[in-house]
Amino acid sequence: MTQHGSNPLIGAAQLQQAKRILYMSHLALGDYVYQGVFLQQLAATYPHLEIDVWFDDCREQRKSWHGGRNQILGQWLESEPNISHIYANPDSEQQRQQQIQDAQQRHYDLVFFIATTRSERFCHYARLIAGDGCAVGAYALNAVQRWQHKEAIAALDASIKVSKSTRFDHISEFYRHHFHALVAMDSPARAFQQLRVPQLYLDALQNSDELDNFVFINHLSTTEKRDWQLAQVFECIATLHQAQPTLRFVINATNEQVTQLQHQVQSNNQLRDINISTFSAKRHFYELPAMISRARLVISVETAIMHLAAALNVPALALIRAKAHQWRPLGPGEILVGGKRVDSISAQTVADKALALLAKA
């Protein structure tokens, strides 16, 4: 039985008659852990539909991390059997206009979006891409912005205002509310994705003795207030090593950061007798979840890593700010909440909690 809102903007009859649909949103890995289940359920509810995804975040200026997101998120989406085609973050406005033209050539019957930022651009692009098709969306614009962009909103076939995320206890409930307001579809059985790593990437790690009995640590994010300090990482590792001398550690970093991180680890005399490796997924997204799947415990700040651990059913100790409570992971493990900054959580507090979790494993 279809379990959707009383009056979704795209009804079941429209979906049954459609052949191709485009979903647009400013996705990151963590977002997709929670949104992906709805796209999977959409495909299961309407198996005849060809589903494409636009994750260009519609920024005017390209960010330094766009390339990395395009690669890792793009590789994950391209591996999803229910997704046919993707549109990533462009290198320039010219490239974005080319993407819009390419999307127009795919003749979508239905285009829908959830945009919590730069909503006016999503309204405009959704209408351009849909052409004679149906374009609807959920936008986040205040009263002044709605007046400024009233023509873009009015050009849509239908739209709703994004409800404030603070209304919901968890981000998964926020997405559930908006997907069911937009699209007539069955309700997913789970709140987040279960990630299955292709055997190829698991096999690549299978014979590595260095990857037994280890803790995977991710201390960096895209903003300083969500980071844990490297000194705290080293203190935590030293404490854990003292309690469990056979424990090994893998510290995650981006490709750009990993060489410097290796040097910092090797030059620290207090860590000389501790088995510490650095890691970065160099060739494919699935290298990261493959590594996480081998860990006894994941310690992560509020980035996609903690959500990937949940998707892999690996125990995680998540370090988050109080205001990020809605983004807490829902998998096994524990959550430590700091104040306005993640590094307000002490290394000793993390080590104590980690040892308690390891004792349960």
Side-chain angles (χ1 to χ4, degrees):
M1 179 178 179
T2 301
Q3 305 169 23
H4 51 72
S6 58
N7 190 28
L9 300 189
I10 300 177
Q14 286 177 283
L15 288 158
Q16 290 288 3
Q17 295 170 6
K19 294 181 180 180
R20 185 174 289 150
I21 187 169
L22 176 65
Y23 173 60
M24 305 176 71
S25 191
H26 30 72
L27 289 176
L29 284 175
D31 299 299
Y32 188 65
V33 169
Y34 299 101
Q35 295 188 39
V37 288
F38 291 96
L39 297 180
Q40 290 173 350
Q41 192 60 52
L42 181 62
T45 308
Y46 304 98
H48 68 285
L49 267 182
E50 185 176 336
I51 302 172
D52 293 353
V53 174
W54 171 292
F55 69 88
D56 170 13
D57 58 18
C58 299
R59 293 178 187 268
E60 293 185 17
Q61 299 294 327
R62 177 179 170 82
K63 293 292 185 178
S64 60
W65 41 261
H66 270 156
R69 178 171 295 178
N70 285 351
Q71 178 180 349
I72 58 177
L73 181 57
Q75 288 171 341
W76 187 7
L77 292 173
E78 286 169 349
S79 73
E80 294 279 80
N82 57 293
I83 294 175
S84 300
H85 188 78
I86 63 171
Y87 303 89
N89 292 288
D91 292 328
S92 63
E93 184 59 30
Q94 182 180 5
Q95 188 178 30
R96 175 177 288 130
Q97 293 304 316
Q98 184 59 56
Q99 283 197 160
I100 291 172
Q101 292 179 31
D102 293 343
Q104 289 171 330
Q105 293 303 310
R106 289 181 68 77
H107 302 293
Y108 292 104
D109 300 293
L110 304 166
V111 176
F112 75 107
F113 65 87
I114 298 174
T116 58
T117 184
R118 294 175 292 281
S119 296
E120 69 281 358
R121 285 184 159 231
F122 280 89
C123 291
H124 179 60
Y125 296 155
R127 179 72 276 163
L128 277 178
I129 291 169
D132 294 333
C134 176
V136 306
Y139 60 82
L141 297 170
N142 60 35
V144 173
Q145 292 169 328
R146 291 198 301 275
W147 181 83
Q148 290 174 330
H149 304 291
K150 59 182 181 295
E151 292 183 1
I153 297 172
L156 298 172
D157 292 278
S159 60
I160 58 171
K161 282 178 58 181
V162 169
S163 298
K164 290 184 178 181
S165 60
T166 51
R167 283 184 44 194
F168 306 92
D169 181 61
H170 191 266
I171 196 65
S172 59
E173 297 173 8
F174 171 85
Y175 287 128
R176 182 180 298 272
H177 171 81
H178 290 94
F179 268 94
H180 287 317
L182 293 171
V183 183
M185 60 184 292
D186 293 347
S187 185
R190 294 178 60 88
F192 58 94
Q193 292 226 81
Q194 287 182 299
L195 184 55
R196 294 177 177 84
V197 183
Q199 194 62 42
L200 169 68
Y201 299 96
L202 296 173
D203 290 345
L205 302 176
Q206 193 64 39
N207 298 321
S208 176
D209 293 335
E210 295 294 315
L211 295 178
D212 291 326
N213 189 34
F214 75 93
V215 175
F216 186 88
I217 300 175
N218 179 69
H219 65 295
L220 297 175
S221 69
T222 55
T223 56
E224 184 182 353
K225 61 189 174 184
R226 294 190 294 161
D227 292 345
W228 212 38
Q229 301 302 315
L230 189 59
Q232 293 175 300
V233 175
F234 290 166
E235 181 184 347
C236 180
I237 287 176
T239 303
L240 292 175
H241 173 73
Q242 186 174 16
Q244 295 193 21
T246 60
L247 200 59
R248 300 176 179 183
F249 303 90
V250 176
I251 307 177
N252 184 61
T254 65
N255 287 333
E256 296 77 18
Q257 298 162 335
V258 71
T259 300
Q260 181 182 3
L261 177 60
Q262 287 172 340
H263 175 74
Q264 290 170 309
V265 170
Q266 293 166 358
S267 62
N268 190 309
N269 292 330
Q270 293 180 324
L271 306 177
R272 183 168 295 173
D273 298 325
I274 306 177
N275 191 318
I276 302 174
S277 303
T278 56
F279 170 80
S280 181
K282 292 181 170 59
R283 291 175 294 277
H284 199 281
F285 158 73
Y286 276 117
E287 295 173 2
L288 175 58
M291 179 67 74
I292 292 172
S293 71
R294 290 283 300 271
R296 284 185 62 192
L297 175 69
V298 171
I299 299 175
S300 178
V301 299
E302 52 183 86
T303 67
I305 300 290
M306 64 184 187
H307 300 298
L308 291 177
L312 292 160
N313 201 38
V314 174
L317 179 53
L319 315 182
I320 66 174
R321 296 164 300 153
K323 68 178 296 184
H325 184 67
Q326 292 163 294
W327 279 98
R328 65 193 184 278
L330 297 178
E334 297 283 347
I335 298 161
L336 289 175
V337 180
K340 294 182 179 181
R341 294 177 60 93
V342 166
D343 58 13
S344 65
I345 305 171
S346 73
Q348 187 64 54
T349 299
V350 174
D352 291 343
K353 184 64 71 173
L355 287 170
L357 289 171
L358 288 166
K360 296 178 183 178

